[in-house]
Amino acid sequence: MRTEILPLGSDSLARAKELLLAGELVAFPTETVYGLGADARSDAAVENIYRVKGRPSDNPLIVHVHKDYDLSLLVEDDRSYAAKLREAFLPGPLTLVYKSRGRVSAKVSCGLDTLAVRVPSHPSAQEFLKYVGIPVAAPSANISKHVSPVSAQHVYDDLHGKIPLILDGGACSGGIESTVCDVTGDYPVVLRQGLVSREMIESVTGKCGLYVPKAGEQVRSPGMKYKHYAPACRTCLFEADEIGKALTCFYRNRDAGMRVLILCEEAAADNFPSDSVLRLGNTAEEMAANLYALLRDAETKADMLIAVKPHARGGVMDGVLNRLCKACAGEEK
Ligand code: AMP
Ligand code: MG
């Protein structure tokens, strides 16, 4: 299959709609990462997503709709605090998990009685969703467990030959996946951290939980149990105060003939040889925006990536750290 990359316009939108209604997949930009979209109402189309990505069949998908879409068509038992969250943060990088009305393919939620819905703020995503008019099921447009794509080229690198169309809306500004928040209970519970932080949600609703899976328990957000976001090169991860150890690791591996790069916050960059440093930036928002492009850059240039955690904690930084740890943890130093 030939994969076309087309800028968003009347011709490409018409083609995208035609493909989606025929059960095919279309990648599209959002303010977080690129999504791999399918008609959420069609079992066959949704199955295509799992097949093309190699995604585990128990990892549910988020349904994307435009800002004027009537949510009550898809979900029920809407809580009053959920309306406040929509008012405060949508359109934007916040996915809300509601009780489902069962109007989309059961494969979207992998048999759960809930449905995750997102209204992206990216103008091209809005234009695309408005034009096609249907609920679009979309995970990130990467091969399962690889780093999420933040440009049309990243999508192409992972999925060319497997999907017919990528709508190009330039680089994503947000950079990490949406916050996922369960709104089925008496108060909201964050299932996945992201650019809308737990603190931001709490400031609107007064209370907000954070779901931390316990060993042996059935997880509430199945996607969280998988290792994600990993670059193709070897990785290892050091704490913010382990600069000395990170340097030792750098020289040991470089002297053994490896191409080694270091990923760290701006404030730590001067500790390392400047031609070997990938700079995440200063603020949590900058780091979120830069992280995935740097991970994808690293895997093409290095045999090994040494990541050093930033110092700050809380707010958006928790989402950045979650992704950094999932991408780079798990190997012996
Ligand atoms: P991705 O689209 O790859 O960013 O992953 C979607 C995330 O949303 C995963 O972590 C899923 O576990 C989570 N998710 C999707 N639908 C639901 C749902 N109905 N209940 C809980 N979590 C969900
Ligand atoms: Mg994903």
Side-chain angles (χ1 to χ4, degrees), residues 53 55 139-140 142 148 177 192 228-229:
K53 281 189 59 123
R55 184 175 175 101
S140 49
N142 51 282
S148 293
E177 299 82 356
R192 175 175 76 185
H228 266 73
Y229 325 114

PDB file of all heavy atoms in Angstrom, residues 53 55 139-140 142 148 177 192 228-229, ligand 2:
ATOM      1  N   LYS A  53      -0.936  -1.460  14.275  1.00  0.00           N
ATOM      2  CA  LYS A  53       0.003  -1.027  15.318  1.00  0.00           C
ATOM      3  C   LYS A  53       0.683  -2.189  16.031  1.00  0.00           C
ATOM      4  O   LYS A  53       1.690  -2.016  16.703  1.00  0.00           O
ATOM      5  CB  LYS A  53      -0.754  -0.242  16.411  1.00  0.00           C
ATOM      6  CG  LYS A  53      -1.062   1.185  16.063  1.00  0.00           C
ATOM      7  CD  LYS A  53      -1.599   1.924  17.280  1.00  0.00           C
ATOM      8  CE  LYS A  53      -0.636   1.942  18.444  1.00  0.00           C
ATOM      9  NZ  LYS A  53      -0.263   3.244  18.961  1.00  0.00           N
ATOM     10  N   ARG A  55      -0.963  -3.557  18.450  1.00  0.00           N
ATOM     11  CA  ARG A  55      -1.373  -3.139  19.805  1.00  0.00           C
ATOM     12  C   ARG A  55      -2.053  -4.289  20.528  1.00  0.00           C
ATOM     13  O   ARG A  55      -2.900  -4.975  19.950  1.00  0.00           O
ATOM     14  CB  ARG A  55      -2.346  -1.969  19.671  1.00  0.00           C
ATOM     15  CG  ARG A  55      -2.806  -1.321  20.983  1.00  0.00           C
ATOM     16  CD  ARG A  55      -3.654  -0.110  20.640  1.00  0.00           C
ATOM     17  NE  ARG A  55      -4.269   0.556  21.768  1.00  0.00           N
ATOM     18  CZ  ARG A  55      -3.823   1.677  22.335  1.00  0.00           C
ATOM     19  NH1 ARG A  55      -2.711   2.225  21.888  1.00  0.00           N
ATOM     20  NH2 ARG A  55      -4.473   2.248  23.320  1.00  0.00           N
ATOM     21  N   PRO A 139      -5.572   5.830  18.636  1.00  0.00           N
ATOM     22  CA  PRO A 139      -4.408   5.809  19.518  1.00  0.00           C
ATOM     23  C   PRO A 139      -3.303   6.623  18.854  1.00  0.00           C
ATOM     24  O   PRO A 139      -3.510   7.184  17.771  1.00  0.00           O
ATOM     25  CB  PRO A 139      -4.033   4.329  19.533  1.00  0.00           C
ATOM     26  CG  PRO A 139      -4.375   3.873  18.147  1.00  0.00           C
ATOM     27  CD  PRO A 139      -5.544   4.713  17.681  1.00  0.00           C
ATOM     28  N   SER A 140      -2.155   6.697  19.498  1.00  0.00           N
ATOM     29  CA  SER A 140      -1.025   7.364  18.855  1.00  0.00           C
ATOM     30  C   SER A 140      -0.610   6.572  17.609  1.00  0.00           C
ATOM     31  O   SER A 140      -0.703   5.340  17.588  1.00  0.00           O
ATOM     32  CB  SER A 140       0.138   7.479  19.838  1.00  0.00           C
ATOM     33  OG  SER A 140       0.376   6.228  20.458  1.00  0.00           O
ATOM     34  N   ASN A 142       1.877   5.281  16.077  1.00  0.00           N
ATOM     35  CA  ASN A 142       3.190   4.627  16.055  1.00  0.00           C
ATOM     36  C   ASN A 142       2.980   3.122  16.149  1.00  0.00           C
ATOM     37  O   ASN A 142       1.906   2.666  16.519  1.00  0.00           O
ATOM     38  CB  ASN A 142       4.021   5.090  17.266  1.00  0.00           C
ATOM     39  CG  ASN A 142       3.254   4.945  18.561  1.00  0.00           C
ATOM     40  OD1 ASN A 142       2.393   5.768  18.873  1.00  0.00           O
ATOM     41  ND2 ASN A 142       3.530   3.883  19.302  1.00  0.00           N
ATOM     42  N   SER A 148       5.888   7.775  20.662  1.00  0.00           N
ATOM     43  CA  SER A 148       4.764   8.377  19.939  1.00  0.00           C
ATOM     44  C   SER A 148       5.273   9.406  18.919  1.00  0.00           C
ATOM     45  O   SER A 148       6.290  10.058  19.141  1.00  0.00           O
ATOM     46  CB  SER A 148       3.818   9.074  20.918  1.00  0.00           C
ATOM     47  OG  SER A 148       3.189   8.128  21.737  1.00  0.00           O
ATOM     48  N   GLU A 177       1.239  12.513  25.402  1.00  0.00           N
ATOM     49  CA  GLU A 177      -0.153  12.131  25.222  1.00  0.00           C
ATOM     50  C   GLU A 177      -1.045  12.828  26.254  1.00  0.00           C
ATOM     51  O   GLU A 177      -0.593  13.218  27.329  1.00  0.00           O
ATOM     52  CB  GLU A 177      -0.318  10.610  25.353  1.00  0.00           C
ATOM     53  CG  GLU A 177       0.452   9.788  24.345  1.00  0.00           C
ATOM     54  CD  GLU A 177       1.896   9.578  24.735  1.00  0.00           C
ATOM     55  OE1 GLU A 177       2.335  10.144  25.768  1.00  0.00           O
ATOM     56  OE2 GLU A 177       2.600   8.853  24.015  1.00  0.00           O
ATOM     57  N   ARG A 192      -3.878   8.612  33.705  1.00  0.00           N
ATOM     58  CA  ARG A 192      -2.589   8.836  33.025  1.00  0.00           C
ATOM     59  C   ARG A 192      -2.285  10.326  33.116  1.00  0.00           C
ATOM     60  O   ARG A 192      -3.131  11.144  32.769  1.00  0.00           O
ATOM     61  CB  ARG A 192      -2.666   8.401  31.554  1.00  0.00           C
ATOM     62  CG  ARG A 192      -1.390   8.721  30.784  1.00  0.00           C
ATOM     63  CD  ARG A 192      -1.406   8.188  29.356  1.00  0.00           C
ATOM     64  NE  ARG A 192      -2.221   8.977  28.454  1.00  0.00           N
ATOM     65  CZ  ARG A 192      -2.467   8.657  27.199  1.00  0.00           C
ATOM     66  NH1 ARG A 192      -1.972   7.536  26.697  1.00  0.00           N
ATOM     67  NH2 ARG A 192      -3.216   9.432  26.442  1.00  0.00           N
ATOM     68  N   HIS A 228       6.141   1.564  27.263  1.00  0.00           N
ATOM     69  CA  HIS A 228       5.742   2.409  26.145  1.00  0.00           C
ATOM     70  C   HIS A 228       6.906   3.259  25.700  1.00  0.00           C
ATOM     71  O   HIS A 228       7.886   3.380  26.393  1.00  0.00           O
ATOM     72  CB  HIS A 228       4.688   3.412  26.624  1.00  0.00           C
ATOM     73  CG  HIS A 228       3.292   2.990  26.420  1.00  0.00           C
ATOM     74  ND1 HIS A 228       2.728   2.022  27.172  1.00  0.00           N
ATOM     75  CD2 HIS A 228       2.334   3.424  25.561  1.00  0.00           C
ATOM     76  CE1 HIS A 228       1.460   1.892  26.805  1.00  0.00           C
ATOM     77  NE2 HIS A 228       1.199   2.726  25.833  1.00  0.00           N
ATOM     78  N   TYR A 229       6.713   3.931  24.638  1.00  0.00           N
ATOM     79  CA  TYR A 229       7.502   5.122  24.298  1.00  0.00           C
ATOM     80  C   TYR A 229       8.992   4.837  24.126  1.00  0.00           C
ATOM     81  O   TYR A 229       9.793   5.745  24.195  1.00  0.00           O
ATOM     82  CB  TYR A 229       7.352   6.203  25.398  1.00  0.00           C
ATOM     83  CG  TYR A 229       5.991   6.267  26.046  1.00  0.00           C
ATOM     84  CD1 TYR A 229       5.800   5.951  27.388  1.00  0.00           C
ATOM     85  CD2 TYR A 229       4.879   6.649  25.292  1.00  0.00           C
ATOM     86  CE1 TYR A 229       4.548   6.008  27.973  1.00  0.00           C
ATOM     87  CE2 TYR A 229       3.626   6.710  25.873  1.00  0.00           C
ATOM     88  CZ  TYR A 229       3.463   6.386  27.217  1.00  0.00           C
ATOM     89  OH  TYR A 229       2.228   6.442  27.793  1.00  0.00           O
TER      90      TYR A 229
HETATM   91 MG    MG B   2       0.069   5.268  22.412  1.00  0.00          MG
END
